[in-house]
C-alpha cells in the first residue's frame, strides 16, 4: 500500500495474506475451494493467536474484492468475518443451494465499499454483465432496506482526499450496516497508504463499538493475479486481505 514505517496506532493486530489454492488467481466460480481456504486461514490465525472474534475483518481489492463479496454474501459458508472492506469491484450474481440465482442474500455483515469515479476497468456507474447491482445501490439496499439503518449520513473521509462517505450505520435493526466511499477522480488502481488508513479507521471504529473492543482482530484480502496486498487492523485483531 506504499507506507513506510509505523503508520497506525499501537496495539496488537494480525494481518493475514492468503494465496489462491491454485497459486495463480482467485477462483470465483461456484463451489470454488478458495472460499473455504480463505475462511480456514482466518480461523487458523484466530485459534493460534487468540483473536477476538468480534474483531475479524476481510479486505479485498479488484478481483480479490469480488471473491471477498462472494464469501460475505454466501448464506451457506460459515465465516468468522464481522465486516468487509471492498475496493474497486461490483457485486456479482451467485448460485447456492438449489442453484437459484441471487444477489447477496446474506445481510448480516458490515460493509465499506470504496470506488473511484474514473474507474474504467470496473466502472462505478455502469453495471457489468456479470454483476447484479451497482455498488452505490448495493450499499443503500444493504444498509437502509436490509438492515433498516438510518441515513445516509454524508461526510468527508479522514485520510483520503476528495472522498465522500455516504453511511447507513446508525439505529440499525439488523446485524449489518453499510458505507459508500466515493473517490472523485479515482481510477481502478486505488491502492494507497491513504486507502489503507481509511480501511484501518473503519475497522477500528467497528471494534471500538463492540463489547470486546480490547481484544484481537483479524482480516483477509485477495488481490488481482493472486498477489497478496497488505491489510491492517489495530488492537488485538486480525485482518484477512484478498488482493
Amino acid at each position: 500500500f506504499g507506507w513506510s514505517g509505523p503508520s497506525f496506532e499501537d496495539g496488537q493486530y494480525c494481518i493475514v495474506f492468503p494465496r489462491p489454492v491454485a497459486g495463480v488467481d482467485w477462483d470465483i466460480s461456484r463451489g470454488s475451494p478458495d472460499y473455504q481456504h480463505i475462511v480456514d486461514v482466518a480461523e487458523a490465525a484466530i485459534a493460534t493467536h487468540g483473536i477476538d472474534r468480534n474483531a475479524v475483518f476481510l479486505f479485498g481489492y479488484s478481483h480479490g474484492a469480488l471473491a471477498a463479496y462472494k464469501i460475505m454474501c454466501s448464506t451457506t459458508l460459515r465465516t468468522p468475518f464481522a465486516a468487509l472492506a471492498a475496493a474497486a469491484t461490483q457485486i456479482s450474481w451467485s448460485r447456492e443451494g438449489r442453484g437459484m440465482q441471487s444477489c447477496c442474500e446474506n445481510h448480516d455483515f458490515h460493509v465499506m465499499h470504496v470506488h473511484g469515479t474514473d474507474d474504467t476497468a470496473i466502472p462505478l456507474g455502469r453495471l457489468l454483465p456479470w454483476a447484479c447491482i451497482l455498488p452505490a445501490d448495493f450499499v443503500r439496499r444493504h444498509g437502509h432496506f436490509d438492515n433498516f439503518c438510518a441515513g445516509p449520513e454524508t461526510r468527508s473521509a479522514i485520510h483520503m482526499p476528495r472522498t465522500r462517505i455516504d453511511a447507513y450505520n446508525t439505529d440499525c435493526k439488523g446485524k449489518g450496516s453499510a458505507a459508500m466511499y466515493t473517490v472523485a477522480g479515482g481510477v481502478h488502481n486505488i491502492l494507497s497508504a491513504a486507502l489503507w488508513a481509511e480501511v484501518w479507521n473503519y475497522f477500528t471504529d467497528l471494534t471500538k463499538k463492540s463489547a470486546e473492543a480490547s481484544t484481537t482482530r483479524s482480516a483477509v484480502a485477495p488481490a488481482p493475479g493472486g498477489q497478496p496486498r497488505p491489510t491492517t487492523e489495530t488492537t488485538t485483531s486480525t485482518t484477512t486481505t484478498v488482493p
Side-chain angles (χ1 to χ4, degrees):
F1 278 71
W3 72 77
S4 59
S7 300
F8 310 105
E9 60 187 279
D10 293 333
Q12 294 179 304
Y13 57 88
C14 175
I15 306 171
V16 182
F17 301 98
R19 293 182 178 275
V21 172
V24 181
D25 200 356
W26 298 104
D27 177 2
I28 59 166
S29 63
R30 184 182 178 191
S32 165
D34 281 340
Y35 303 145
Q36 188 62 56
H37 171 62
I38 291 169
V39 170
D40 290 345
V41 168
E43 289 286 5
I46 294 167
T48 301
H49 301 288
I51 293 166
D52 174 16
R53 285 188 171 273
N54 291 315
V56 179
F57 309 111
L58 182 64
F59 171 81
Y61 160 70
S62 191
H63 195 62
L66 178 57
Y69 263 121
K70 287 277 194 178
I71 291 170
M72 297 303 290
C73 289
S74 174
T75 56
T76 59
L77 183 65
R78 293 175 60 87
T79 83
F81 306 114
L84 163 67
T89 193
Q90 292 184 9
I91 300 85
S92 72
W93 291 102
S94 296
R95 292 183 184 275
E96 294 188 306
R98 298 180 179 178
M100 299 295 290
Q101 200 166 240
S102 63
C103 186
C104 198
E105 288 192 346
N106 179 31
H107 309 150
D108 297 342
F109 65 94
H110 305 284
V111 61
M112 166 192 186
H113 188 106
V114 185
H115 219 121
T117 59
D118 292 354
D119 187 339
T120 57
I122 303 182
L124 174 62
R126 178 172 59 83
L127 193 68
L128 296 177
W130 48 263
C132 62
I133 189 171
L134 288 171
D137 293 337
F138 172 74
V139 165
R140 182 167 54 253
R141 191 195 81 180
H142 189 79
H144 187 63
F145 295 103
D146 294 339
N147 283 287
F148 307 100
C149 303
E153 174 192 337
T154 301
R155 62 184 185 276
S156 296
I158 298 173
H159 303 284
M160 297 180 70
R162 305 183 308 281
T163 300
R164 187 190 74 218
I165 303 173
D166 294 296
Y168 300 84
N169 58 6
T170 57
D171 300 324
C172 302
K173 304 300 187 294
K175 296 180 180 179
S177 65
M180 182 75 203
Y181 288 62
T182 305
V183 187
V187 295
H188 185 67
N189 186 2
I190 205 169
L191 297 175
S192 67
L195 169 62
W196 177 238
E198 207 68 53
V199 170
W200 181 277
N201 185 70
Y202 177 78
F203 287 156
T204 300
D205 283 349
L206 287 177
T207 300
K208 288 176 179 177
K209 291 176 183 177
S210 78
E212 300 174 50
S214 61
T215 51
T216 309
R217 276 180 292 188
S218 172
V220 178
Q227 296 303 311
R229 300 199 192 281
T231 300
T232 318
E233 285 259 53
T234 316
T235 71
T236 312
S237 61
T238 300
T239 299
T240 304
T241 303
V242 188

